[in-house]
Each structure stands twice: as C-alpha cells, then as structure tokens.
Amino acid sequence: EGNKDQAPNQREKTVDPSIQVIRTREQLEPVLAALQVESSIVLKVFHDDSHRSTPIVYGICLLSTEVYWYIAGTNKEVLSSVFSALHESQVELVGHDLKTDYYALLSNGMEHMAMQGGAWFHTGFDTAIAAYLVEPGRSKYQLETLYLEYYHEELPALNAILAETGQLSLGGEEENRLAEYGLGWCQAVAAVKAILEERIKSIALEE
C-alpha cells in the first residue's frame, strides 16, 4: 500500500465553481453547447448500482475547467439528451471507475447506441485504472483512499447525505446536497488525476 506518512501533496488553489442544477431542457442548452467545445470533462453518475434491473440514475455530475453542472435525474427527457450528447461529442471523459458510470448510462435509454458499434464514449483518464497501473499490488483503489493518501484530506461520506432510509432519492433537499457532494467528488478526481499523471510520467522516464 502507498506511503501514508509522506508529506501531503498540495492541491492547486482554485475558486470553486458555482453549482448549476439542471432540471429542464432550457437549462440544459449551455451544457450541450459546452460538450461540443470542451476537450475533457469530469463525469460522475449517481445511481443505485443495480445489476438485476435497470439502474436508477439520480443525477449526473459534469465538471469542466470553469463550470460545474448537476443534471437532476427527475426529468427523463433531460437525461436522455445528456446521454446522447456524451455519446456523440468528442469530449474526453475523466472519472474514477468509469465503467460503472457507463453501465448506468447504457442501461438507461442508450441500448440502441451500443448496437451501432464503435466507441460508446471517449475515455480520457480513469483514476482507478491509472492507480492500478502505478501500484498493481494495492488492495484498495477507491477514490476516497487515494485522495486521503495523496492529500491527507478525507472526502465527505456519501452516507451523510442519504435519506433516513439509507438510500438515495430523487428530488427535494437531498438533491441539492447530492449536487454539492458531486462537486467535491469531481474535484477530488481531478486532484488525484494530477498526481497519477506525474507518477506515470516518472515510471515512463525510469524505463
């Protein structure tokens, strides 16, 4: 396992972008436009991890260099538009264990795209895969573990924003809390990515 006693890395100081919660098609237009011009974007899909039935998508987080959007899962037409835009655009997606995000998207109205062949999405960087390549002997590759090790900071627990049932739900105040949590998650992905890119470069130079 990595060295937890080493001095923490310093995150680049940036101003937190405002949280833009998208619930309507009209609000979605700037997002769709950005996906056509952004070179890369951080993606996080909140869903119920169901592999027995179609996963319920509670929300989609997208973090660009300047803007953060949380697309609420309450409007299926909006979600469908985001699914199509992610598939059709050339934007490279950055995330942690992206296969789980892709599974949720492909299971919610994107099955026909999977049948067309070609790339479903353009993966730019997956911090889970990169961490494995850097340290294949690790026992844990969760984002929370990597972020704590690299920066000596803890990510807030998702359990802290769950409803009393212990499960995610659509709409309400919990939706706003989930949007805020998603921003922290996406920023952590970007921070961990920066460390892993440097380590991969170092390994390449050594070889």
Side-chain angles (χ1 to χ4, degrees), residues 21-39:
V21 179
I22 308 299
R23 297 186 176 91
T24 68
R25 174 71 194 195
E26 183 179 8
Q27 294 172 332
L28 183 65
E29 290 304 322
V31 184
L32 300 181
L35 290 176
Q36 299 304 315
V37 298
E38 290 283 348
S39 58

Side-chain angles (χ1 to χ4, degrees), residues 53-201:
S53 59
T54 301
I56 298 172
V57 173
Y58 298 103
I60 301 174
C61 306
L62 297 172
L63 176 65
S64 72
T65 52
E66 299 179 353
V67 187
Y68 169 72
W69 299 281
Y70 178 82
I71 295 92
T74 48
N75 189 323
K76 300 305 179 185
E77 180 186 358
V78 168
L79 286 181
S80 179
S81 296
V82 175
F83 298 164
S84 298
L86 289 173
H87 173 69
E88 295 167 3
S89 74
Q90 296 300 308
V91 63
E92 292 190 341
L93 300 176
V94 176
H96 187 84
D97 197 18
L98 282 167
K99 70 178 185 296
T100 61
D101 300 314
Y102 294 165
Y103 173 76
L105 295 176
L106 289 167
S107 299
N108 280 272
M110 291 187 69
E111 297 89 344
H112 63 289
M113 297 179 186
M115 298 298 292
Q116 294 175 359
W120 296 329
F121 307 102
H122 299 280
T123 302
F125 198 96
D126 189 320
T127 50
I129 294 175
Y132 174 77
L133 293 175
V134 170
E135 294 184 86
R138 292 181 66 100
S139 60
K140 295 181 180 179
Y141 295 94
Q142 293 94 332
L143 180 66
E144 296 87 343
T145 302
L146 297 173
Y147 187 71
L148 176 61
E149 180 180 319
Y150 296 166
Y151 293 98
H152 294 195
E153 296 179 19
E154 288 191 6
L155 285 179
L158 180 58
N159 291 339
I161 65 168
L162 295 180
E164 292 181 0
T165 58
Q167 299 178 338
L168 292 172
S169 62
L170 292 169
E173 180 58 32
E174 185 175 305
E175 183 175 84
N176 294 325
R177 293 196 299 268
L178 191 59
E180 184 175 353
Y181 175 84
L183 172 58
W185 174 279
C186 290
Q187 290 176 322
V189 167
V192 168
K193 172 178 177 285
I195 297 298
L196 289 171
E197 284 180 324
E198 289 301 316
R199 294 193 176 184
I200 290 172
K201 289 179 183 177

